[in-house]
Amino acid sequence: MTDLLYSEIEEELRSSVRALLADRSPHQAVLARCETAEPYDRKLWRTLARDLGAASLAVPEETGGAGASVREVAVVLEELGRAAAPTPYLGSSVLAGTALLALSGDEGADELLAALASGERTATLAVPLSTAPGTPRGAGFPAAVRADSAGTLTGTVTSVADVGTADVLLVPAEGRDGPGLYAVEISAAALTVAPRTSLDLTRPLFDIALTGTAARRLAGPDRAPAALERAVLTGAGLLASEQLGLAEWCLESTVAYLRERRQFGRTLGSFQALKHRLADLWLDVVGARAAARYAAGTLADGDPDAPVAVAVAASHCGDLAVRAAEECVQLHGGIGMTWEHPAHLYLKRAKADQIALGTPDRHRTALAGLVDLPEPAPTA
């Protein structure tokens, strides 16, 4: 039975990450950095990944990691969501790291995984951020890139997250003998990286174009599809924890504001209608916490119920985070609409996360199939 409570070690990890982000990534710094060409704080990333060991949590000790699990990774993501922190954790430690973990035993994959765990290098999985678990071959996953007999890659992949700080791209490609997973150095010739206009300023997206780009094959048809599916499934399940942390910050900051803000001779928080709105939101946040924790637990344990748990968490937490951010903006009144207030960072992150690694509708449809129920009608 998956434990939904946080262990003492997980709470200590949370405290360390929260303290680091409060000190090194306050909202003012995030807002200022979003207006520059380098939204990620590389010094913060080094501290988080290397000094705090967040990049090595799910990596086995024999590969240079901490030997923990994705439960601890989920706690880090909750805190990154609470702070709307601009780090490549999702792309490098979750998506790329999980794909490499699935290839454990391959010398090239183990070597790269150890480098990611140490914080020396950063990688990302070169798939569109909208890619959902269970995406069939031929729908852009992994057939958007072709591999020739010489091992070079040609093709384009759009809307890839965390390319800006990546040293290595893990590229799914279709070769003569079937799908494979390839490592491409970001400095490789014949590789073009172009930024897109991203809604979420704290997680910019990029298009990559490969034109006969040199690559190193990490896995072939026997292991690559399963590694990719595991990476995307884990990413979708753990993204729910980021959405949970985001929603918690929106709720707590809104409650704090309404307790202080006075109008008509009384605090805004004393109005019954606002109390009811926030109480309803609190209940949904509690439900989201249970769903996200269960998804992380099943992924950590290798539970066969993981696809169901991920579909539940992703469909619930994606919509909840958007609602919490919308409530935050609206109930802060005029100040919530200003650039200086961080509410818009959370709304943009929530909206972008809502379509990342599968929309809530996509996950509800998948859930219907997994539990043998009729598909739900799409939401408007």
Side-chain angles (χ1 to χ4, degrees), residues 6 10-11 17 60 86 106 119 139 141 154 158 176 178 205 226 236-237 245 249 260 293 297 304 351 374 380:
Y6 298 96
E10 289 169 345
E11 291 295 0
V17 176
D106 175 85
F141 180 64
T154 299
T158 59
R176 288 186 175 180
L205 302 178
W249 183 88
E260 298 293 331
R293 290 296 293 166
K351 295 291 283 186

Short mmCIF file of all heavy atoms in Angstrom, two decimals, residues 6 10-11 17 60 86 106 119 139 141 154 158 176 178 205 226 236-237 245 249 260 293 297 304 351 374 380:
data_model
loop_
_atom_site.label_atom_id
_atom_site.label_comp_id
_atom_site.label_asym_id
_atom_site.label_seq_id
_atom_site.Cartn_x
_atom_site.Cartn_y
_atom_site.Cartn_z
N TYR A 6 4.29 12.12 4.26
CA TYR A 6 5.69 12.45 4.01
C TYR A 6 6.55 11.92 5.16
O TYR A 6 6.20 12.07 6.33
CB TYR A 6 5.88 13.97 3.90
CG TYR A 6 5.11 14.59 2.76
CD1 TYR A 6 3.85 15.17 2.97
CD2 TYR A 6 5.64 14.60 1.48
CE1 TYR A 6 3.15 15.75 1.92
CE2 TYR A 6 4.94 15.18 0.43
CZ TYR A 6 3.70 15.75 0.65
OH TYR A 6 3.01 16.31 -0.39
N GLU A 10 11.90 13.20 3.96
CA GLU A 10 11.29 14.01 2.90
C GLU A 10 11.00 15.43 3.39
O GLU A 10 11.17 16.40 2.65
CB GLU A 10 10.02 13.33 2.39
CG GLU A 10 10.30 12.07 1.57
CD GLU A 10 9.06 11.26 1.30
OE1 GLU A 10 8.01 11.48 1.98
OE2 GLU A 10 9.12 10.37 0.43
N GLU A 11 10.56 15.56 4.64
CA GLU A 11 10.30 16.89 5.19
C GLU A 11 11.60 17.68 5.35
O GLU A 11 11.63 18.90 5.14
CB GLU A 11 9.57 16.79 6.53
CG GLU A 11 8.14 16.27 6.43
CD GLU A 11 7.20 17.22 5.66
OE1 GLU A 11 7.65 18.28 5.20
OE2 GLU A 11 6.02 16.86 5.51
N VAL A 17 15.30 22.55 0.39
CA VAL A 17 15.01 23.13 -0.94
C VAL A 17 14.27 24.45 -0.79
O VAL A 17 14.59 25.44 -1.48
CB VAL A 17 14.20 22.13 -1.79
CG1 VAL A 17 13.82 22.76 -3.13
CG2 VAL A 17 14.99 20.85 -2.02
N PRO A 60 20.64 5.28 -8.59
CA PRO A 60 21.21 4.29 -7.65
C PRO A 60 22.61 4.70 -7.19
O PRO A 60 23.35 5.37 -7.92
CB PRO A 60 21.26 3.01 -8.50
CG PRO A 60 20.28 3.22 -9.59
CD PRO A 60 20.27 4.67 -9.88
N PRO A 86 12.83 28.87 -11.97
CA PRO A 86 13.30 28.56 -13.32
C PRO A 86 14.54 27.67 -13.29
O PRO A 86 15.68 28.15 -13.29
CB PRO A 86 13.63 29.95 -13.90
CG PRO A 86 14.01 30.76 -12.71
CD PRO A 86 13.27 30.21 -11.52
N ASP A 106 23.75 -0.13 -19.82
CA ASP A 106 24.46 0.33 -21.01
C ASP A 106 25.55 1.31 -20.57
O ASP A 106 25.28 2.26 -19.83
CB ASP A 106 23.49 1.04 -21.97
CG ASP A 106 24.21 1.64 -23.16
OD1 ASP A 106 24.44 0.91 -24.14
OD2 ASP A 106 24.58 2.83 -23.10
N GLY A 119 25.65 16.63 -11.19
CA GLY A 119 25.43 18.04 -11.50
C GLY A 119 26.46 18.61 -12.45
O GLY A 119 26.44 19.80 -12.76
N ALA A 139 3.15 9.32 -34.55
CA ALA A 139 2.48 10.58 -34.20
C ALA A 139 3.50 11.55 -33.61
O ALA A 139 3.19 12.34 -32.74
CB ALA A 139 1.36 10.31 -33.19
N PHE A 141 6.34 10.60 -32.14
CA PHE A 141 7.05 10.01 -31.02
C PHE A 141 7.30 8.55 -31.30
O PHE A 141 6.41 7.73 -31.16
CB PHE A 141 6.20 10.15 -29.75
CG PHE A 141 6.82 9.58 -28.51
CD1 PHE A 141 7.99 10.11 -28.01
CD2 PHE A 141 6.23 8.52 -27.84
CE1 PHE A 141 8.54 9.60 -26.85
CE2 PHE A 141 6.77 8.00 -26.68
CZ PHE A 141 7.94 8.54 -26.19
N THR A 154 18.54 13.30 -38.74
CA THR A 154 17.95 14.37 -39.53
C THR A 154 16.47 14.49 -39.18
O THR A 154 15.76 13.48 -39.17
CB THR A 154 18.10 14.09 -41.04
OG1 THR A 154 19.49 14.00 -41.37
CG2 THR A 154 17.48 15.23 -41.86
N THR A 158 9.86 20.10 -32.16
CA THR A 158 9.43 21.43 -31.73
C THR A 158 9.03 21.42 -30.25
O THR A 158 8.68 20.38 -29.69
CB THR A 158 8.22 21.90 -32.56
OG1 THR A 158 7.15 20.96 -32.41
CG2 THR A 158 8.59 22.00 -34.03
N ARG A 176 16.81 2.37 -39.59
CA ARG A 176 16.43 1.28 -40.49
C ARG A 176 15.92 0.06 -39.73
O ARG A 176 15.07 -0.68 -40.21
CB ARG A 176 17.64 0.88 -41.34
CG ARG A 176 17.99 1.91 -42.42
CD ARG A 176 19.10 1.39 -43.30
NE ARG A 176 19.37 2.31 -44.41
CZ ARG A 176 20.29 2.09 -45.34
NH1 ARG A 176 21.02 0.98 -45.30
NH2 ARG A 176 20.48 2.96 -46.30
N GLY A 178 14.46 0.22 -36.78
CA GLY A 178 13.42 0.59 -35.83
C GLY A 178 13.83 1.76 -34.97
O GLY A 178 14.83 2.43 -35.23
N LEU A 205 10.73 27.26 -24.19
CA LEU A 205 10.72 26.13 -25.12
C LEU A 205 11.58 26.45 -26.34
O LEU A 205 11.75 27.62 -26.70
CB LEU A 205 9.29 25.81 -25.56
CG LEU A 205 8.29 25.48 -24.44
CD1 LEU A 205 6.90 25.25 -25.03
CD2 LEU A 205 8.75 24.27 -23.64
N ALA A 226 10.49 1.47 -24.69
CA ALA A 226 10.10 1.35 -23.28
C ALA A 226 10.73 2.45 -22.43
O ALA A 226 10.09 2.97 -21.50
CB ALA A 226 10.52 -0.03 -22.76
N ALA A 236 4.91 12.85 -16.51
CA ALA A 236 3.52 13.27 -16.32
C ALA A 236 3.08 13.08 -14.87
O ALA A 236 2.39 13.94 -14.30
CB ALA A 236 2.61 12.48 -17.25
N GLY A 237 3.49 11.98 -14.27
CA GLY A 237 3.10 11.73 -12.88
C GLY A 237 3.75 12.71 -11.92
O GLY A 237 3.09 13.19 -10.98
N GLY A 245 2.40 21.93 -5.72
CA GLY A 245 3.12 23.00 -5.02
C GLY A 245 2.70 24.38 -5.49
O GLY A 245 2.56 25.31 -4.69
N TRP A 249 0.88 27.35 -3.11
CA TRP A 249 1.35 28.74 -2.95
C TRP A 249 0.23 29.72 -3.29
O TRP A 249 0.02 30.71 -2.58
CB TRP A 249 2.55 29.02 -3.85
CG TRP A 249 3.08 30.41 -3.63
CD1 TRP A 249 4.00 30.82 -2.71
CD2 TRP A 249 2.63 31.60 -4.30
NE1 TRP A 249 4.18 32.18 -2.78
CE2 TRP A 249 3.35 32.68 -3.76
CE3 TRP A 249 1.72 31.85 -5.32
CZ2 TRP A 249 3.18 34.01 -4.19
CZ3 TRP A 249 1.52 33.17 -5.75
CH2 TRP A 249 2.26 34.23 -5.19
N GLU A 260 -5.38 40.48 5.34
CA GLU A 260 -4.81 41.80 5.59
C GLU A 260 -5.56 42.92 4.89
O GLU A 260 -5.72 44.01 5.44
CB GLU A 260 -3.34 41.82 5.14
CG GLU A 260 -2.45 40.83 5.87
CD GLU A 260 -2.27 41.21 7.33
OE1 GLU A 260 -2.35 42.41 7.65
OE2 GLU A 260 -2.08 40.29 8.16
N ARG A 293 0.70 12.33 -4.57
CA ARG A 293 1.53 11.44 -3.74
C ARG A 293 1.35 9.98 -4.14
O ARG A 293 2.29 9.19 -4.14
CB ARG A 293 1.17 11.62 -2.25
CG ARG A 293 1.59 12.95 -1.67
CD ARG A 293 3.09 13.11 -1.66
NE ARG A 293 3.75 12.18 -0.75
CZ ARG A 293 5.06 11.96 -0.78
NH1 ARG A 293 5.84 12.57 -1.66
NH2 ARG A 293 5.60 11.13 0.08
N GLY A 297 4.20 7.54 -5.51
CA GLY A 297 4.45 6.30 -4.80
C GLY A 297 4.41 5.08 -5.70
O GLY A 297 5.27 4.19 -5.61
N PRO A 304 2.16 -1.84 -10.76
CA PRO A 304 1.46 -1.91 -12.06
C PRO A 304 0.29 -0.94 -12.15
O PRO A 304 -0.24 -0.72 -13.25
CB PRO A 304 0.99 -3.37 -12.13
CG PRO A 304 1.07 -3.89 -10.73
CD PRO A 304 2.16 -3.13 -10.05
N LYS A 351 -0.90 27.31 -16.72
CA LYS A 351 -1.48 27.11 -18.05
C LYS A 351 -0.56 26.28 -18.94
O LYS A 351 -1.01 25.43 -19.71
CB LYS A 351 -1.78 28.47 -18.71
CG LYS A 351 -2.83 29.31 -17.99
CD LYS A 351 -4.22 28.71 -18.11
CE LYS A 351 -4.82 28.95 -19.45
NZ LYS A 351 -6.25 28.48 -19.48
N PRO A 374 -16.49 4.03 -20.30
CA PRO A 374 -16.69 4.86 -21.50
C PRO A 374 -15.85 6.13 -21.39
O PRO A 374 -15.67 6.68 -20.31
CB PRO A 374 -18.19 5.17 -21.47
CG PRO A 374 -18.78 4.12 -20.59
CD PRO A 374 -17.74 3.76 -19.59
N ALA A 380 -15.18 21.86 -22.26
CA ALA A 380 -15.19 23.01 -23.20
C ALA A 380 -13.89 23.76 -23.11
O ALA A 380 -13.26 23.81 -22.08
CB ALA A 380 -16.35 23.92 -22.86
#
